[in-house]
Amino acid sequence: MHENTSAYTDSKRIDSTKISASLKIPVACFLAVYVLSATAAAAPGEQQKNASAITEIRAVLRAQQEAWNRGDIDGFMNGYARSGSTTFVSEDTVRRGWENVRERYLKKYSDRAKMGVLTFSDPEITLVSSDAAVVLGHWKLKRTQDRPHGRFTLIFRKTADGWRIVYDHTSAAAPPQ
């Protein structure tokens, strides 16, 4: 008798599993359709916000390039957040604070010949949230005596002043030999 009870319990467990499994498929389908339709409904608004942010970030980079090429370091610096936490990394040095970054540019590029003509290219803009983005790109200076170039990684934040750079890691490629 004991064996029959066990068999009965096992068969009920199997039947219960079959019913549960048969309910899982419709529930999973319902959830998938619900999530996809909610995502699709939100997607156009989200895509518009993303496109707007990317356009604004590109405009900051373009304004920086234009300011640099007319010899306006202060105009170039408008692309950075005016904050004590703004960070610039280059070579083996970390500078913190908008004023310190500005002083570095003023000292290193003290005249138009040293500034040359700046070109930013191939910016890859990745939004990481509604108020933060990472930008990877190339920079190049065309000067009379040389053509330094390299890469940059920027972190932009949406501030009260618009999208601004809060972190800049710029590296130079080795000069040709």
Side-chain angles (χ1 to χ4, degrees):
M1 181 88 165
H2 185 316
E3 289 179 29
N4 283 345
T5 306
S6 178
Y8 175 77
T9 306
D10 289 342
S11 74
K12 283 295 189 191
R13 192 174 304 131
I14 291 169
D15 289 343
S16 159
T17 305
K18 287 180 185 175
I19 293 169
S20 178
S22 67
L23 286 175
K24 287 180 182 177
I25 293 170
V27 169
C29 288
F30 170 77
L31 288 174
V33 169
Y34 177 77
V35 168
L36 289 173
S37 64
T39 303
E46 203 58 35
Q47 288 173 351
Q48 181 62 33
K49 283 186 209 174
N50 291 351
S52 177
I54 289 169
T55 298
E56 291 174 35
I57 291 167
R58 285 183 189 279
V60 170
L61 293 171
R62 191 171 30 261
Q64 280 193 301
Q65 182 177 293
E66 290 168 359
W68 185 275
N69 291 335
R70 59 175 190 270
D72 180 4
I73 288 181
D74 286 332
F76 176 82
M77 287 301 298
N78 284 337
Y80 290 88
R82 289 184 186 250
S83 168
S85 63
T86 295
T87 303
F88 181 88
V89 181
S90 184
E91 298 156 353
D92 194 28
T93 305
V94 177
R95 290 172 182 82
R96 288 191 172 80
W98 185 88
E99 284 292 337
N100 291 329
V101 175
R102 179 179 177 270
E103 289 304 315
R104 180 250 183 210
Y105 278 114
L106 289 171
K107 184 176 180 181
K108 186 165 179 157
Y109 301 99
S110 56
D111 60 51
R112 287 295 296 132
K114 289 178 183 174
M115 290 179 79
V117 176
L118 174 66
T119 304
F120 290 139
S121 62
D122 306 320
E124 296 175 22
I125 302 171
T126 304
L127 294 175
V128 292
S129 72
S130 62
D131 69 345
V134 176
V135 180
L136 175 66
H138 290 96
W139 64 270
K140 179 173 35 175
L141 286 179
K142 182 178 178 185
R143 301 189 291 203
T144 305
Q145 70 279 13
D146 61 0
R147 302 280 190 276
H149 65 282
R151 295 212 175 239
F152 60 82
T153 304
L154 308 172
I155 297 177
F156 274 80
R157 295 296 307 244
K158 177 84 178 207
T159 70
D161 297 323
W163 287 91
R164 295 293 183 265
I165 300 164
V166 297
Y167 182 92
D168 178 341
H169 188 173
T170 297
S171 63
Q177 296 184 14

